[in-house]
């Protein structure tokens, strides 16, 4: 049956039929379906909360006051459901028939205890023989036109929004089961949604034009997916699709090879609530991609230091570079170093050495003065030190930075001016290790010669 054949009248009939079978029903204004079409009347019914909940509450109270367990009686609240068929408003300018479903849930529980007691329990007090819990009330409206058009409002909010799969979390449980079962009889995708308890921000119009998980995700993300997607859970495929834009295009199908590593636990409540937001997408994608790399490490396909891997992924996300899911140790290291330079360049000021006595220093050709921001950042990344943080000192005329290779030692050198004399402030080789005494003497010699030229 096509989606166009699913009418408000069909859903109305289903809810009325099922409501009559619900335990504890109280019906009001009951008419036949034909009478509803003529009179546009309201059908409403009421049912108590699940008896199991009452029993659990009663047992808990009896545990605390066991002597009075038999003397405790409980009256509990419930849910009113009103069905209004064939009404018109701004959502139906052509006055086409539709169904408005109003659900009002409340908890007005009274506990009666024979005896005279003063007992504190949870958030309420048993004082004397009667006690009433504070009233809880929740109202929801659903406006149904067709399988592809359902709107919802929460807590007396006048604004209505397109129904999505996450909305199910906020619906009355009994009513949602009736509606979802009704949809599943006309569209097979709802059977997967019900079985897997899918609660994602996928609007009902997208669900309506999908017949399997592959189509659902393709329509949601406007992408082409492999047929294997139908074998995986919808939430796993959803997370893989979120990660699409963060990996190399030719490796997208590779995400689904590992989609079984992720499940709905990767999407916390706040993640689902904000899953349409760009920032939240990044967080979810990063979680999945980290799991993929960890799986590669477990399988022996990749050997890399954890800090290097995390830094590579962090920098790639910050710079909006695509992740190479198949990269090996050497490539990850090369990409990490390249991205580290790019990141520093984005967050560092331009180098401009002022004309001072210090800037007039002349050293042998193998002493390479660093004169640009790019050269300074590259040196910091290559030597694994923090010399790029010295750029403000350089611009203020407080020091000069040189690079020297001597005795197979790659050295970073900082030279300053003190009492109008050139002075060696620091010299370190790669990873900030100390240089040999021979290299130190080699560096000091031309600095001393330069100072003799000043006298």
């Amino acid at each position: 049956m096509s989606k166009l054949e699913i009418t408000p009248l069909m859903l109305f009939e289903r809810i009325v039929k099922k409501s009559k079978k619900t335990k504890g029903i109280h019906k009001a204004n009951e008419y036949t379906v034909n009478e509803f079409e003529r009179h546009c009347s309201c059908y409403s019914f009421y049912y108590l909360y699940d008896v199991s909940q009452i029993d659990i509450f009663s047992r808990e109270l009896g545990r605390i006051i066991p002597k009075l367990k038999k003397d405790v009686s409980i009256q509990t609240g419930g849910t009113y459901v009103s069905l209004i068929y064939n009404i018109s408003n701004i959502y139906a300018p052509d006055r086409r028939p539709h169904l408005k479903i109003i659900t009002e849930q409340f908890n007005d529980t009274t506990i009666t205890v024979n005896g005279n007691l003063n007992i504190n329990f949870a958030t309420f007090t048993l004082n004397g023989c009667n006690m009433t819990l504070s009233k809880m009330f929740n109202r929801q409206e659903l406006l149904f036109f067709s399988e592809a058009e359902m709107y919802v409002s929460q807590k007396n909010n006048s604004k209505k929004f397109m129904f999505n799969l996450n909305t199910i979390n906020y619906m009355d449980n009994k009513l949602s089961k009736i509606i979802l079962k009704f949809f599943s009889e006309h569209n097979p995708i709802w059977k997967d949604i019900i079985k897997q308890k899918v609660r994602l921000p996928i609007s009902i119009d997208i669900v309506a034009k999908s017949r399997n998980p592959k189509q659902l995700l393709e329509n949601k993300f406007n992408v082409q997916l492999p047929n294997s997607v139908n074998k995986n859970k919808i939430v796993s495929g959803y997370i893989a699709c979120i990660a699409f834009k963060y990996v190399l295009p030719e490796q997208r199908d590779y995400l689904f090879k590992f989609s079984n590593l992720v499940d709905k636990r990767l999407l916390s409540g706040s993640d689902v609530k904000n899953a349409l937001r760009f920032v939240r997408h990044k967080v979810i994608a990063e979680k999945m991609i980290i799991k993929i790399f960890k799986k590669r490490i477990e399988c022996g396909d990749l050997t890399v230091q954890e800090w290097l891997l995390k830094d590579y992924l962090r920098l790639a996300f910050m710079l909006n570079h695509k992740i190479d899911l198949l990269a090996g140790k050497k490539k990850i290291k090369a990409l990490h170093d390249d991205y580290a330079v790019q990141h520093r360049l984005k967050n560092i000021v331009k180098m401009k050495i002022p004309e001072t006595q210090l800037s007039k220093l002349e050293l042998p050709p193998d002493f390479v003065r660093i004169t640009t921001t790019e050269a300074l950042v590259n040196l910091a990344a290559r030597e694994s030190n923090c010399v790029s943080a010295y750029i403000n000192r350089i611009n203020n005329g407080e020091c000069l930075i040189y690079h020297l290779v001597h005795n197979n030692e790659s050295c970073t050198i900082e030279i300053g001016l003190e009492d109008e004399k050139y002075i060696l402030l620091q010299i370190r080789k790669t990873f900030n290790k100390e240089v040999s005494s021979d290299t130190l003497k080699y560096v000091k010699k031309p600095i001393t010669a330069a100072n003799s030229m000043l006298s």
Side-chain angles (χ1 to χ4, degrees):
M1 184 179 293
S2 69
K3 63 182 180 182
L4 296 177
E5 294 177 282
I6 300 179
T7 65
L9 181 59
M10 294 168 61
L11 180 57
F12 171 83
E13 290 179 301
R14 176 57 55 87
I15 296 175
V16 171
K17 180 179 179 181
K18 291 293 182 180
S19 70
K20 292 178 179 178
K21 297 180 180 180
T22 306
K23 186 176 181 180
I25 288 295
H26 168 71
K27 295 177 285 293
N29 300 329
E30 183 175 351
Y31 296 89
T32 65
V33 171
N34 289 333
E35 288 174 331
F36 267 101
E37 288 191 283
R38 290 198 304 272
H39 301 292
C40 305
S41 301
C42 174
Y43 177 98
S44 62
F45 57 92
Y46 163 77
Y47 52 81
L48 297 174
Y49 288 137
D50 291 341
V51 176
S52 60
Q53 294 181 18
I54 300 174
D55 290 342
I56 292 172
F57 191 77
S58 179
R59 286 198 302 271
E60 183 64 18
L61 193 62
R63 183 180 65 81
I64 295 177
I65 45 177
K67 292 181 180 180
L68 298 175
K69 183 175 181 180
K70 295 181 180 179
D71 299 323
V72 176
S73 62
I74 300 176
Q75 293 179 333
T76 188
T79 301
Y80 277 109
V81 180
S82 299
L83 310 179
I84 306 174
Y85 177 74
N86 194 23
I87 63 173
S88 62
N89 59 19
I90 60 172
Y91 292 99
D94 57 355
R95 295 185 177 275
R96 53 184 168 150
H98 66 278
L99 177 65
K100 189 173 186 178
I101 306 169
I102 302 174
T103 308
E104 296 175 317
Q105 294 177 293
F106 63 94
N107 180 0
D108 194 0
T109 303
T110 300
I111 302 176
T112 303
V113 181
N114 296 326
N116 186 17
L117 298 173
N118 290 287
I119 300 176
N120 291 323
F121 176 71
T123 58
F124 53 86
T125 301
L126 284 171
N127 188 3
C129 59
N130 294 301
M131 189 280 305
T132 302
L133 289 176
S134 59
K135 187 172 183 179
M136 297 173 60
F137 179 81
N138 183 41
R139 177 186 174 92
Q140 181 188 70
E141 289 188 8
L142 294 176
L143 196 63
F144 180 75
F145 294 99
S146 68
E147 183 189 4
E149 289 182 277
M150 180 182 283
Y151 297 88
V152 62
S153 67
Q154 298 281 350
K155 296 181 180 179
N156 300 320
N157 191 336
S158 59
K159 291 185 178 180
K160 290 182 171 57
F161 305 92
M162 177 70 78
F163 183 98
N164 66 57
L165 298 184
N166 194 37
T167 310
I168 300 170
N169 284 326
Y170 307 100
M171 291 179 63
D172 171 70
N173 188 48
K174 290 178 179 170
L175 190 61
S176 66
K177 285 182 179 179
I178 295 173
I179 294 175
L180 297 183
K181 183 67 167 58
F182 168 76
F183 283 147
S184 70
E185 294 172 0
H186 301 87
N187 185 344
I189 187 62
W190 284 99
K191 295 180 180 178
D192 292 310
I193 292 171
I194 295 171
K195 182 179 179 180
Q196 299 177 29
K197 297 182 179 179
V198 178
R199 303 294 183 264
L200 295 169
I202 302 177
S203 59
I204 196 170
D205 59 327
I206 292 177
V207 179
K209 57 185 179 183
S210 308
R211 290 296 179 268
N212 55 54
K214 177 176 179 288
Q215 289 182 5
L216 182 69
L217 296 173
E218 286 180 336
N219 291 331
K220 168 63 179 177
F221 293 95
N222 193 27
V223 294
Q224 292 294 320
L225 301 177
N227 291 329
S228 60
V229 173
N230 285 324
K231 299 178 181 179
N232 299 333
K233 291 183 178 180
I234 293 175
V235 68
S236 299
Y238 184 90
I239 295 172
C241 287
I242 285 177
F244 260 33
K245 64 187 296 183
Y246 302 102
V247 303
L248 294 173
E250 63 271 20
Q251 295 179 2
R252 287 179 172 177
D253 287 357
Y254 192 73
L255 288 167
F256 292 97
K257 179 181 178 181
F258 293 94
S259 62
N260 63 322
L261 295 176
V262 298
D263 55 30
K264 62 184 179 182
R265 288 174 294 181
L266 193 60
L267 293 173
S268 66
S270 59
D271 286 328
V272 172
K273 184 177 180 181
N274 301 296
L276 295 181
R277 297 182 182 178
F278 177 69
V279 174
R280 183 56 57 184
H281 270 194
K282 271 192 172 183
V283 172
I284 296 170
E286 189 172 6
K287 287 180 180 179
M288 179 178 187
I289 290 170
I290 287 175
K291 280 182 173 286
I292 290 176
F293 275 103
K294 285 184 176 180
K295 188 65 176 179
R296 287 184 59 198
I297 292 173
E298 289 175 9
C299 296
D301 178 49
L302 177 66
T303 304
V304 66
Q305 293 171 295
E306 186 175 348
W307 71 266
L308 181 63
L309 175 61
K310 288 184 176 179
D311 266 9
Y312 159 60
L313 295 175
R314 177 180 60 84
L315 289 167
F317 276 102
M318 289 174 66
L319 295 169
N320 294 320
H321 287 309
K322 305 294 184 185
I323 303 294
D324 186 348
L325 295 174
L326 302 178
K329 180 180 178 179
K330 290 184 178 179
K331 188 168 185 179
I332 289 175
K333 177 65 167 64
L335 290 172
H336 168 270
D337 293 348
D338 182 31
Y339 294 168
V341 171
Q342 292 182 38
H343 180 256
R344 288 176 182 174
L345 287 173
K346 286 182 65 176
N347 297 277
I348 197 170
V349 298
K350 185 177 180 180
M351 182 188 292
K352 186 176 181 180
I353 301 175
E355 292 185 9
T356 62
Q357 181 182 324
L358 182 60
S359 67
K360 296 175 182 178
L361 174 63
E362 293 184 6
L363 295 177
D366 53 344
F367 287 75
V368 180
R369 182 186 289 187
I370 305 302
T371 59
T372 66
T373 303
E374 291 79 2
L376 184 69
V377 170
N378 275 296
L379 178 63
R382 189 170 63 250
E383 299 299 305
S384 297
N385 60 38
C386 59
V387 72
S388 59
Y390 287 43
I391 192 164
N392 289 329
R393 287 170 50 79
I394 297 171
N395 288 347
N396 292 334
E398 298 174 32
C399 69
L400 293 175
I401 301 297
Y402 287 85
H403 178 248
L404 169 71
V405 177
H406 181 73
N407 283 343
N408 292 321
E409 292 180 317
S410 181
C411 309
T412 300
I413 303 167
E414 180 190 7
I415 298 175
L417 197 67
E418 186 177 293
D419 297 329
E420 297 185 352
K421 295 289 184 179
Y422 302 117
I423 181 174
L424 176 63
L425 297 175
Q426 286 191 82
I427 178 171
R428 289 287 187 273
K429 61 181 182 182
T430 308
F431 299 114
N432 279 319
K433 294 182 179 179
E434 291 187 5
V435 298
S436 64
S437 58
D438 181 66
T439 298
L440 183 59
K441 290 178 182 179
Y442 182 82
V443 171
K444 286 183 175 181
K445 185 176 180 179
I447 296 175
T448 302
N451 281 327
S452 66
M453 298 292 291
L454 294 175
S455 7

